[in-house]
Amino acid sequence: MPTELEQLVDFVSHGNTQVRQLAVENLVPYSLTDPAIFKTNQLLPVKDLKLLVRDYEKIAHDATTILINLTSDREILESLASDKEFVKTLLGRVTNPSEPNANLISMLLANLAKYDELKDILTVSAPAPKELASNNKAIDQLLDLFVKGADGTYNKAADFDYLSYLFADLAKHKEGRQYFLTKQEYDGVVPLTKLVVFTEHKSDIRRKGVASTIKNVAFEIDSHPSFLDEDEINILPYLLLPITGNEEFTEEESVSMLPDLQLLPPDKRRDSDPSIIQTHIETLILLTTTRQGRDLMREVKVYPIVRETHLHVEHDEVRDACERLVQVLMRDEEGEEVGEGMKALERIPRTGKPSHPQIAHGAGSWAKQDVEEDDDEDDDDDDKIVEV
């Protein structure tokens, strides 16, 4: 005989609107504590919840919240992300300028990207709403949504910050990296340049996802000249400003720094999230793969900025990354001494010697919804970026 909870799950597909609403509202907490109840009858409850994403606003809100939380289950994740029609439904709704649950759908899309085959979204085509002024490629529409969401000009109910986690996971794949580095015909813009401007945005979620996306795209070593070129991506200012505080540098150091790094205001603060600082420094390390990258960083005095970051950010992984970067910049180049004015960063480690594992692609964080909360929260415990 079905338990009361199992009976409640059955009511998700009830024909009466009020019954459906009460069912999903009361099931939200169980999506976190007892996800197995949604896996009965070959995931039939999950299939019902997918339909409710298109239901009345409150029902759709709770159904989407449940699905967000259930994506931590691998079987459910694959069931959702491999359903191409369901993904297209989500795309159609998230791009609707009057969609009240657009942020929740952004969170769900971000989680679905944990399933590698969701990279197929890079090839999905769908008509764009005229208000978006985008083209018919779904990925271009999502990127344009993300840009417009920064100031709330597209949908008053959404900021689309969680799409940055989707971008980060797509950039783990070569197809994704190539997309972010390829100028698009409809607007003549390289997609990555639309993202880099948000490395100092007020939203922690947006900054974190953008930082991870940049780092993952930087694994395309052949594209490093474009990363460094002032007339192309020009990435260095966007990596250095977030890790720079209000410290004073010598005149010799300051005069050689990038123009954006000179004459900073006295209230300048570096990013408050050490994991984001770590990600930016790891990206700088990736950019030292080429001689051009190393020479440019020496020329524009990256060392003093990293030195001060190492001194003022009390975070082991950040300091490990700073030390690794300085080691590379100090290293002589084929018999040529290039480390003048630099010295190794030192500290007394709290727990033995710091380790330096290889840099790995950084996944976007998981989105997770708590019960009866509209504010977005991300769970930092899963898929953290591997430290240097």
Side-chain angles (χ1 to χ4, degrees):
M1 183 176 178
T3 65
E4 290 184 2
L5 191 54
E6 289 171 338
Q7 289 178 326
L8 186 61
V9 172
D10 289 339
F11 286 141
V12 165
S13 59
H14 199 279
N16 184 293
T17 301
Q18 290 182 322
V19 173
R20 290 200 309 278
Q21 182 170 330
L22 285 172
V24 292
E25 180 179 340
N26 285 283
L27 284 169
V28 169
Y30 295 103
S31 65
L32 290 169
T33 62
D34 196 5
I37 63 173
F38 299 93
K39 298 178 67 174
T40 57
N41 299 323
Q42 298 180 320
L43 301 183
L44 180 60
V46 173
K47 296 173 185 176
D48 292 334
L49 288 165
K50 287 192 290 186
L51 295 175
L52 297 191
V53 169
R54 297 177 289 181
D55 212 317
Y56 294 104
E57 178 181 342
K58 184 63 173 72
I59 296 176
H61 176 281
D62 290 338
T64 307
T65 298
I66 292 172
L67 291 175
I68 289 168
N69 294 336
L70 291 178
T71 52
S72 60
D73 182 282
R74 187 68 190 179
E75 182 183 2
I76 295 176
L77 171 64
E78 293 184 7
S79 172
L80 294 172
S82 62
D83 186 340
K84 297 184 185 305
E85 290 305 312
F86 176 62
V87 172
K88 286 183 178 180
T89 294
L90 296 180
L91 292 172
R93 298 196 74 86
V94 77
T95 55
N96 182 341
S98 60
E99 170 58 54
N101 297 317
N103 271 344
L104 285 174
I105 296 172
S106 297
M107 294 171 72
L108 180 54
L109 285 169
N111 283 2
L112 295 185
K114 302 298 180 188
Y115 179 64
D116 285 346
E117 296 309 311
L118 196 83
K119 66 182 179 180
D120 291 346
I121 202 172
L122 293 163
T123 62
V124 171
S125 295
K130 62 180 180 181
E131 298 92 341
L132 189 56
S134 189
N135 72 350
N136 65 348
K137 287 177 60 177
I139 185 61
D140 286 332
Q141 294 172 29
L142 293 174
L143 193 58
D144 290 335
L145 275 179
F146 183 73
V147 172
K148 293 179 184 294
D151 56 12
T153 57
Y154 186 73
N155 183 336
K156 294 179 181 179
D159 53 36
F160 304 103
D161 286 349
Y162 273 100
L163 290 179
S164 63
Y165 288 0
L166 167 69
F167 302 146
D169 277 309
L170 290 177
K172 292 189 302 182
H173 308 285
K174 188 172 185 62
E175 302 96 316
R177 296 193 293 273
Q178 290 175 340
Y179 164 75
F180 286 112
L181 291 166
T182 303
K183 183 181 294 186
Q184 301 301 298
E185 292 183 6
Y186 81 102
D187 61 2
V189 177
V190 174
L192 189 62
T193 63
K194 295 182 179 181
L195 296 179
V196 297
V197 297
F198 296 117
T199 58
E200 291 191 289
H201 194 269
K202 63 183 179 180
S203 166
D204 292 347
I205 296 166
R206 183 171 285 247
R207 296 197 317 278
K208 181 177 289 189
V210 165
S212 296
T213 304
I214 295 170
K215 173 187 162 183
N216 287 346
V217 177
F219 276 87
E220 288 296 304
I221 307 301
D222 291 343
S223 296
H224 282 191
S226 297
F227 270 87
L228 300 170
D229 193 321
E230 291 183 358
D231 296 323
E232 295 189 51
I233 297 172
N234 189 29
I235 195 64
L236 285 185
Y238 301 106
L239 298 177
L240 294 174
L241 279 169
I243 70 172
T244 303
N246 62 349
E247 298 82 19
E248 293 186 4
F249 299 100
T250 67
E251 182 178 353
E252 180 182 359
E253 291 170 340
S254 297
V255 73
S256 298
M257 289 182 179
L258 295 171
D260 291 326
L261 275 295
Q262 298 180 20
L263 302 176
L264 293 175
D267 61 348
K268 173 68 173 72
R269 295 289 182 266
R270 61 175 48 84
D271 199 299
S272 59
D273 187 335
S275 71
I276 296 176
I277 295 176
Q278 177 188 342
T279 302
H280 287 317
I281 296 173
E282 289 177 352
T283 303
L284 290 169
I285 294 173
L286 287 171
L287 292 171
T288 64
T289 304
T290 66
R291 174 69 186 266
Q292 177 191 6
R294 298 191 296 274
D295 284 345
L296 180 58
M297 288 190 211
R298 295 172 185 133
E299 178 185 342
V300 301
K301 301 298 183 184
V302 168
Y303 168 76
I305 296 171
V306 176
R307 178 193 67 207
E308 296 303 313
T309 301
H310 182 273
L311 178 64
H312 290 94
V313 180
E314 297 184 4
H315 187 271
D316 283 345
E317 286 77 13
V318 169
R319 285 175 168 166
D320 287 351
C322 290
E323 291 162 13
R324 185 72 174 276
L325 176 57
V326 168
Q327 288 172 7
V328 175
L329 295 179
M330 289 178 58
R331 191 178 302 150
D332 292 342
E333 300 282 0
E334 298 180 356
E336 179 184 352
E337 294 186 5
V338 295
E340 184 179 357
M342 291 185 278
K343 63 179 182 179
L345 303 178
E346 298 180 355
R347 60 180 163 135
I348 300 175
R350 287 180 292 180
T351 54
K353 295 182 179 180
S355 60
H356 299 304
Q358 295 294 314
I359 299 176
H361 290 100
S365 298
W366 282 93
K368 187 166 285 188
Q369 274 293 88
D370 287 336
V371 182
E372 291 300 321
E373 284 193 9
D374 292 329
D375 294 335
D376 297 339
E377 293 183 5
D378 62 302
D379 184 347
D380 290 337
D381 293 332
D382 295 303
D383 286 294
K384 286 188 176 179
I385 297 168
V386 177
E387 69 271 17
V388 178

